[in-house]
Amino acid sequence: MANEVATAAASGSAATERFHQDKSPFDAVKDTPKERVDLLAREVLGAIHETIRKHKVTYDEYNALKAWLIQVGAAGEWPLFLDVWVEHVVEDVATAHRHGNKGSIEGPYYVPGAPELGADATIPMRDGESGTPLLWEGSVTSTDGTPLAATVELWHADNDGYYSQFAPGIPEWNLRGTFATGPDGKFRIRTIQPAPYQIPTDGPCGKLIAAAGWHAWRPAHLHVKVSAPGHELLTAQLYFPGDPHNDDDIASAVKPELILSPVAGDDGSAKVDYGFVLDPVQG
Ligand code: DHB
Ligand code: FE
């Protein structure tokens, strides 16, 4: 496996396959009135028409767009494309009402069912997993301060920026775990600090990035889903101070309140305190 390399097509098709394993996304919107579909579709198309008129888009450009869109589908990169350039606005809208943590995008690399490890545990990792060891302590509370018996699912890239199950040669649940807080809401997690992550550059999304003169970087981040009975699910990412891409994340998913404040231990490890506040479900 060691000589197998991660490719956009492989991680793209894995992300597409993963997305299709979830329950049908159409079920949740099956009662959407025609009027809303009509409104949204017309406004999106209208914005495209407006751009074409404003910038006098040519047939050559239109055909290149058509070819590129076909390639995005063929490479399985729709999850990548949407999660990088669209999801952050959906997330902002969805969590704007919250008094607790607002969250951040899920991205394409979440897998449910990671090993259950309790309140005080080390995430699955390889012998000698490279990267700065990270000890993370925190607690989960409701907006009124009540501690919550909660579930904290954590997943993140390794020190080379790769996710298990989406890059070859990494054990299935590497750097993926499900932690359960006690009734006091507390958890203590041992993992490693992930590296900054470059979205795959060898596929159609990479082609867009190169053609537009953008960069492909996301800052180093930890992904979490935090849930507790009677509370809204929190999907978030946590970032590290000083990362050059905190200010220009390709996925526009950094919020100041999600940047950790780790302190260096004597042994080269890092220690961080960060907890979560969940909003009760209304009504
Ligand atoms: C992508 C990858 C991520 O790790 C993430 O958090 C968001 C998006 C991506 O490759 O699309
Ligand atoms: Fe990620």
Side-chain angles (χ1 to χ4, degrees):
M1 290 296 246
N3 60 354
E4 242 184 287
V5 291
T7 62
S11 71
S13 58
T16 297
E17 199 182 302
R18 162 93 280 290
F19 184 71
H20 285 311
Q21 279 166 15
D22 289 339
K23 68 176 165 40
S24 169
F26 299 117
D27 289 351
V29 294
K30 66 180 186 328
D31 297 327
T32 304
K34 284 192 173 50
E35 291 73 18
R36 182 166 171 83
V37 179
D38 169 59
L39 176 72
L40 298 183
R42 255 186 314 112
E43 287 206 8
V44 169
L45 291 169
I48 294 173
H49 302 159
E50 181 55 32
T51 304
I52 295 167
R53 287 188 199 287
K54 185 170 165 196
H55 301 289
K56 300 188 167 46
V57 170
T58 66
Y59 257 103
D60 286 343
E61 289 168 333
Y62 172 69
N63 284 326
L65 171 67
K66 209 188 247 187
W68 181 79
L69 289 169
I70 292 167
Q71 288 178 356
V72 172
E77 281 199 345
W78 280 118
L80 250 50
F81 175 84
L82 290 163
D83 295 350
V84 167
W85 286 297
V86 181
E87 187 186 353
H88 68 98
V89 188
V90 181
E91 192 279 324
D92 261 350
V93 170
T95 64
H97 65 282
R98 288 188 183 173
H99 298 285
N101 285 80
K102 292 202 192 317
S104 187
I105 66 170
E106 174 172 323
Y109 300 142
Y110 169 66
V111 184
E116 294 184 11
L117 304 161
D120 183 350
T122 301
I123 203 164
M125 62 173 86
R126 292 161 285 193
D127 284 346
E129 183 78 42
S130 77
T132 304
L134 180 69
L135 173 64
W136 172 18
E137 291 180 306
S139 61
V140 183
T141 62
S142 188
T143 44
D144 68 0
T146 313
L148 293 173
T151 301
V152 179
E153 292 175 90
L154 171 64
W155 73 101
H156 63 84
D158 67 13
N159 195 39
D160 296 318
Y162 292 121
Y163 285 85
S164 60
Q165 303 189 38
F166 297 89
I170 304 175
E172 188 176 21
W173 295 106
N174 208 60
L175 305 177
R176 295 176 183 273
T178 304
F179 302 83
T181 70
D184 61 358
K186 291 190 175 150
F187 61 86
R188 182 191 285 137
I189 297 172
R190 282 170 220 80
T191 184
I192 55 119
Q193 269 185 224
Y197 166 86
Q198 216 181 156
I199 76 156
T201 53
D202 57 326
C205 288
K207 205 179 208 172
L208 169 63
I209 289 168
W214 299 341
H215 71 76
W217 291 96
R218 297 220 57 226
H221 56 278
L222 302 170
H223 289 269
V224 288
K225 277 183 184 284
V226 186
S227 54
H231 287 75
E232 293 186 23
L233 168 69
L234 170 66
T235 301
Q237 298 185 23
L238 301 171
Y239 303 93
F240 296 86
D243 190 300
H245 298 294
N246 282 344
D247 296 326
D248 69 347
D249 176 12
I250 181 86
S252 313
V254 182
K255 298 177 184 178
E257 69 266 26
L258 299 172
I259 301 180
L260 299 167
S261 305
V263 292
D266 314 330
D267 54 354
S269 68
K271 191 171 178 294
V272 69
D273 271 305
Y274 190 94
F276 300 102
V277 179
L278 303 187
D279 278 60
V281 173
Q282 294 302 319

